[in-house]
Amino acid sequence: MAYNKVDQYDEKIMPELMHHYRETLSLLGEDPNREGLVKTPERMAKAMQYLTQGYEMDARAILASAKFKESVSEMILVKDIELYSMCEHHLLPFFGKAHIAYIPNGYITGLSKLARVVDVYARRLQVQERLTTQILDAIKETLQPLGVAVVIEASHLCMMMRGVQKQNSVTTTSAFWGEFERNETRSEFMKLISSRLH
Ligand SMILES: [Zn+2]
């Protein structure tokens, strides 16, 4: 099943999900029957299904659906792709930006498809490290380019709102393959993504 829109969800699992969210609210000391909370279990059940819809999506199929023969051999870079995901340890959001580059080897893909691949893996319970390598692997396997680079910069609410409260910390993860394992190519990429003149 593929649901893309905010208001699409699996009707079959709604009653049980709502039941558990209602229980959770009670256990946290709330009254799930008070006015403001009556519809909260339903909203949560829908929101969580939306935020985990990536499980139903196929990144490789998305990339392959817009795969074109092209003899470009220069680096293709899409930077500052908005990213919203949820940490699997606390079910709290982490959000930031992804920067993706690849060097084609006969094939390119639509630029917007790269952003969609980010969503496919971000809309799951995640850790930032795995999100980074999943994006890289999907591009590598589908386009078989000469190289792929993925850098993600994100802020984690589980760090910002609780415990250590490092409000301004940004976590950076990166994955490099092929040509990007060479120092010059990688530093060219890093230079391009760190320039803020856009
Ligand atoms: Zn966390």
Side-chain angles (χ1 to χ4, degrees), residues 92-119:
L92 286 171
F94 65 92
F95 57 95
K97 279 166 176 176
H99 315 288
I100 301 175
Y102 70 101
I103 299 171
N105 184 22
Y107 290 96
I108 59 165
T109 189
L111 296 178
S112 66
K113 304 298 178 204
L114 296 175
R116 285 197 60 202
V117 168
V118 171
D119 279 344

Side-chain angles (χ1 to χ4, degrees), residues 48-196:
M48 290 306 285
Q49 286 195 63
Y50 178 81
L51 296 174
T52 56
Q53 65 181 296
Y55 294 120
E56 310 283 341
M57 296 172 168
D58 183 346
R60 286 162 181 78
I62 289 168
L63 287 170
S65 73
K67 182 177 167 183
F68 310 108
K69 247 194 170 72
E70 190 60 68
S71 59
V72 189
S73 56
E74 296 299 314
M75 182 192 305
I76 295 173
L77 165 69
V78 182
K79 67 177 187 178
D80 296 332
I81 300 170
E82 252 183 280
L83 169 152
Y84 299 93
S85 190
M86 232 176 344
C87 95
E88 66 184 18
H89 303 130
H90 305 94
L91 260 65
L92 286 171
F94 65 92
F95 57 95
K97 279 166 176 176
H99 315 288
I100 301 175
Y102 70 101
I103 299 171
N105 184 22
Y107 290 96
I108 59 165
T109 189
L111 296 178
S112 66
K113 304 298 178 204
L114 296 175
R116 285 197 60 202
V117 168
V118 171
D119 279 344
V120 166
Y121 293 115
R123 288 178 187 163
R124 301 174 185 208
L125 303 186
Q126 271 292 6
V127 295
Q128 189 179 327
E129 295 85 342
R130 187 171 67 233
L131 175 59
T132 311
T133 56
Q134 283 177 328
I135 295 168
L136 183 136
D137 288 343
I139 298 167
K140 175 179 145 188
E141 286 161 28
T142 316
L143 300 180
Q144 297 177 312
L146 298 175
V148 189
V150 179
V151 167
I152 293 177
E153 303 169 288
S155 302
H156 292 247
L157 285 187
C158 62
M159 279 182 76
M160 298 163 78
M161 293 178 73
R162 51 175 282 288
V164 284
Q165 296 199 346
K166 298 274 184 235
Q167 311 256 339
N168 296 312
S169 71
V170 172
T171 304
T172 304
T173 49
S174 57
F176 302 103
W177 174 79
E179 283 287 308
F180 289 94
E181 289 169 271
R182 289 176 49 230
N183 271 334
E184 323 161 38
T185 318
R186 188 166 60 221
S187 44
E188 189 192 337
F189 165 74
M190 293 306 283
K191 212 167 76 192
L192 286 170
I193 64 168
S194 54
S195 72
R196 291 291 165 203

Side-chain angles (χ1 to χ4, degrees), residues 3 10-18 45 49:
Y3 30 87
D10 187 347
E11 201 69 64
K12 286 195 300 293
I13 61 171
M14 283 297 287
E16 203 170 345
L17 264 181
M18 286 163 61
Q49 286 195 63

